Amino acid sequence: MTEYRRLRVALLGAGAVGSQVAGLLLRHGDELADRAGAELELAGIAVRNLDAPRDVALPRELFTTDAEALITGADIVVELMGGIEPARAHTLLALGSGADVVTANKALLATHGPEVFEAADRVGASVYYEAAAAGAIPIIRPLRDSLAGDRVVRIMGIVNGTTNYILDRMDSEGADFADVLADAQRLGYAEADPTADVEGYDAAQKAAILASLAFHTAVPLETVHREGITAITADMIEEARDAGFVIKLLAVCERLVDEGAESISVRVYPALVPRSHPLASVHGANNAVFVEAEAAGPLMFYGAGAGGVQTASAVLGDVVSAARRHIAGGTGVGESTRANLPIVPIGHVTTRYQITLEVSDAPGVLATVAGLLSEGGVSVATVLQTVAEPNGEEGGTARLIIGTHRAAEQALSATVDSLAASDVVERVVSVLRVEGE
Ligand code: NAP
């Protein structure tokens, strides 16, 4: 048997992901040693409650509540506690003492990424975070390494499993948001407090991480435009289907070029995706990230975006990378923010829209609506009218489904305001962006 140098791995957290990481590390130790070129000794596991039940049977003597003592003397610290504090302090302590850090903590990286990466740079250590965006799906390493020689143009990601599960069931069953959410909570797909998922906060954190990597630019979380899915109704889903679309919560990270000047846009919102697009066939709680690069063209990364053992796979891949770096020596590869592109606010972004209006079914209504759109600088591509009165009598209401050409968000929202204020429009039913055409 090959004799390897021994590296001490400190695990912080033994919850859904941490317990699986510990289990796999102990079970596949010999194999991992061959791959890493180092023996990976699980030095200990820091938790809050020593008596809490664990998903995997683990030796009791490994557990401690003294995270600081465990970190000191570790070669690799695996942070799987989640949240900001004490995860941030422990991560900085680990880096300060020369350890490499592996983390799945999107909240920490999206809010304190620059501080963490600077601390790593100061000592030449590395931070690995493959599991922080889209769980088991390899997307960080492809963006950081495989596409390092290319220029990413756009990323469109389904990066939140809970919302994809909800929208997918609404689409396949015609069910209402509240009913599917309640069911998702019962089945464990959604948290008791679903805010982080359904309001798009979780997806926004992942969007910030992906955009930073793809565009070599620090992307503060506050610059990510965010909308959730709570306003999506069964009606909107049905209308989308009739028009050949499916509604998905997308994280869109885009490189924009205006008269030779580059900028980026990072945004999260529910959007209409053509049924023929690869992202339209991402069902259930799965995630997918669709990357368009100048030379490589379109690339699709698909799989489990969460789950304890699935996420543990990505974490252990990072542990092996960290071990290889330790053995090879030299300084870690820092985060690149050299491009430092300006981040444009949502008002300046252009997309196609589908606007659904309830209007009075009277002569001249279409002309009034068309006039307001044209005054607002929004050019119409398609109009579909459905009349609510089946006998064809006037005086009832009709639905207008208007597809626009690309329009700037600012112009569009001002136009929607004037449509809403118009006498002929009874209700603005929905305004959705179209992505992926
Ligand atoms: P979890 O089930 O809530 O487990 C958290 C663990 O951290 C628990 O073992 C807890 O100890 C420990 N912990 C929390 N605060 C602590 C403190 N102050 N001191 C010591 N230990 C502490 O979390 P998880 O689902 O495994 O997620 C871990 C990380 O992975 C998070 O950053 C999450 O965003 C990320 N992630 C999770 C998934 C997923 O599918 N779950 C997917 C991708 C990324 P006790 O057990 O004693 O309470």
Side-chain angles (χ1 to χ4, degrees):
M1 214 173 112
T2 321
E3 279 286 319
Y4 291 116
R5 189 177 139 195
R6 178 180 293 201
L7 296 180
R8 286 169 63 82
V9 178
L11 181 58
L12 312 182
V17 184
S19 60
Q20 299 290 345
V21 167
L24 292 173
L25 202 51
L26 293 173
R27 187 143 35 101
H28 301 309
D30 290 345
E31 240 179 283
L32 289 169
D34 286 338
R35 290 179 204 162
E39 190 185 327
L40 300 169
E41 177 200 351
L42 182 55
I45 308 171
V47 293
R48 266 178 311 212
N49 176 4
L50 293 173
D51 299 319
R54 305 290 160 198
D55 295 348
V56 175
L58 296 166
R60 198 178 163 83
E61 62 274 16
L62 284 176
F63 284 86
T64 174
T65 53
D66 190 348
E68 275 101 353
L70 183 61
I71 291 166
T72 314
D75 299 297
I76 300 169
V77 173
V78 184
E79 186 278 299
L80 294 170
M81 298 163 69
I84 306 298
E85 292 295 355
R88 173 182 156 277
H90 290 339
T91 298
L92 295 176
L93 175 65
L95 292 169
S97 57
D100 282 330
V101 168
V102 173
T103 180
N105 194 331
K106 60 211 148 224
L108 178 66
L109 293 180
T111 52
H112 292 80
E115 183 187 20
V116 168
F117 296 128
E118 272 163 37
D121 284 349
R122 271 200 296 279
V123 292
S126 276
V127 181
Y128 299 83
Y129 52 97
E130 186 57 73
I137 303 173
I139 185 63
I140 300 298
R141 214 170 265 107
L143 286 174
R144 181 154 64 179
D145 298 333
S146 323
L147 291 169
D150 208 334
R151 280 166 55 83
V152 174
V153 179
R154 187 180 298 106
I155 296 174
M156 289 198 294
I158 294 173
V159 291
N160 180 270
T162 305
T163 46
N164 201 58
Y165 174 85
I166 293 172
L167 291 172
D168 191 38
R169 279 196 53 189
M170 287 174 75
D171 184 62
S172 58
E173 297 168 19
D176 274 319
F177 171 78
D179 294 340
V180 181
L181 172 61
D183 214 31
Q185 286 171 316
R186 198 176 49 76
L187 295 168
Y189 284 104
E191 306 271 342
D193 177 0
T195 314
D197 293 321
V198 299
E199 296 292 359
Y201 290 101
D202 172 82
Q205 291 173 347
K206 293 167 181 168
I209 292 171
L210 295 177
S212 297
L213 263 178
F215 303 124
H216 305 274
T217 294
V219 177
L221 191 54
E222 321 72 88
T223 63
V224 180
H225 176 82
R226 176 197 52 77
E227 293 170 36
I229 65 162
T230 52
I232 303 296
T233 62
D235 253 14
M236 287 156 82
I237 300 251
E238 191 183 325
E239 242 164 48
R241 187 177 325 109
D242 291 346
F245 295 108
V246 59
I247 298 178
K248 295 288 188 191
L249 182 71
L250 293 186
V252 183
C253 315
E254 202 170 21
R255 187 192 292 274
L256 308 169
V257 185
D258 187 14
E259 296 179 359
E262 291 199 337
S263 57
I264 61 170
S265 154
V266 191
R267 48 199 202 260
V268 169
Y269 46 52
L272 296 167
V273 176
R275 292 219 166 233
S276 54
H277 193 282
L279 287 175
S281 50
V282 176
H283 297 295
N286 282 310
N287 280 197
V289 185
F290 189 77
V291 180
E292 295 167 64
E294 265 180 21
L299 303 163
M300 173 88 159
F301 301 83
Y302 169 83
V309 74
Q310 293 87 343
T311 306
S313 160
V315 172
L316 278 172
D318 279 351
V319 171
V320 169
S321 295
R324 286 176 181 158
R325 195 197 78 73
H326 243 83
I327 296 301
T331 54
V333 181
E335 289 306 292
S336 151
T337 52
R338 279 182 309 276
N340 208 12
L341 294 171
I343 304 165
V344 298
I346 187 75
H348 296 271
V349 173
T350 66
T351 41
R352 282 213 328 102
Y353 292 86
Q354 184 169 291
I355 307 167
T356 302
L357 304 174
E358 222 158 69
V359 296
S360 38
D361 184 25
V365 167
L366 201 53
T368 308
V369 168
L372 288 170
L373 286 161
S374 150
E375 269 168 40
V378 177
S379 145
V380 175
T382 56
V383 180
L384 182 75
Q385 178 167 359
T386 54
V387 181
E389 297 277 306
N391 59 10
E393 281 174 25
E394 287 178 4
T397 58
R399 237 168 216 224
L400 287 183
I401 303 173
I402 301 158
T404 76
H405 287 296
R406 285 187 89 86
E409 179 95 19
Q410 228 161 22
L412 192 279
S413 63
T415 309
V416 169
D417 287 348
S418 53
L419 285 168
S422 150
D423 287 345
V424 302
V425 174
E426 299 194 354
R427 193 163 67 94
V428 177
V429 179
S430 66
V431 180
L432 286 167
R433 294 133 182 129
V434 181
E435 295 283 1
E437 284 187 313

